[in-house]
Amino acid sequence: ALQDGRRVTGHRSASSSPDIRERTLIAVKPDGVQRRLVGKVIQRFEQRGFKLVGLKMLQVSEDILAQHYSHLRAKPFYPDLVDYMTSGPVVIMVWEGYNVVQSTRSMVGHTNPVEAPPGTVRGDFGLHVSRNVVHASDSVEGAKGEIQLWFQRQEILNWESCDQAISCE
Ligand code: ADP
């Protein structure tokens, strides 16, 4: 049956449906691009079952970085962070799915790779806290702001996966 525009499965009512449209911003930072890790990073999130709804490569401006990292502007490492993040292109993505923010944070691992367990992106590929390969939003609210900062509305695509259509028909 369809209720409120959503298909209801046996054990769930529409009102308690999980938010499968949660979104997060993930970036492969310049070191990740330079080390040819873009594909590996994307593969992990695809394999987990999340949906890629936005993707672009760009050279970051200091202005956008100042907004993105406004919480770190007073830190002593901030100038080095700017140098690092502007040292080459980044790949910026929007991923969608149930609990995507929390799940991708745990898949990315601790900010400092030395504390990130093997199996996480930073635990497997990170060299140093100042070269930690990826960014992932740390809250649903934060993700909303970051997605607005980095993406235009029309750059995010709402595609439906064909496997869902098959199983639901
Ligand atoms: P996260 O990226 O895990 O959300 P933060 O928001 O605290 O972590 O920091 C943003 C980025 O700033 C980190 O991913 C890292 O690249 C850099 N950074 C954080 N702490 C340090 C540090 N002590 N020295 C150098 N760079 C740092």
Side-chain angles (χ1 to χ4, degrees), residues 37-98:
L37 294 173
V38 174
K40 285 196 165 74
V41 170
I42 289 177
Q43 186 174 37
R44 288 176 179 225
F45 300 125
E46 281 195 327
Q47 276 180 333
R48 181 72 183 259
F50 294 124
K51 190 160 80 170
L52 184 60
V53 295
L55 172 74
K56 59 185 177 180
M57 187 178 210
L58 52 89
Q59 177 67 41
V60 180
S61 70
E62 283 193 33
D63 179 49
I64 201 167
L65 213 53
Q67 293 179 65
H68 179 81
Y69 282 141
S70 59
H71 62 295
L72 298 174
R73 268 155 112 168
K75 297 279 184 192
F77 59 80
Y78 185 75
D80 289 338
L81 180 60
V82 173
D83 286 348
Y84 161 47
M85 289 297 294
T86 57
S87 66
V90 299
V91 172
I92 305 275
M93 299 173 275
V94 180
W95 287 87
E96 186 179 278
Y98 178 57

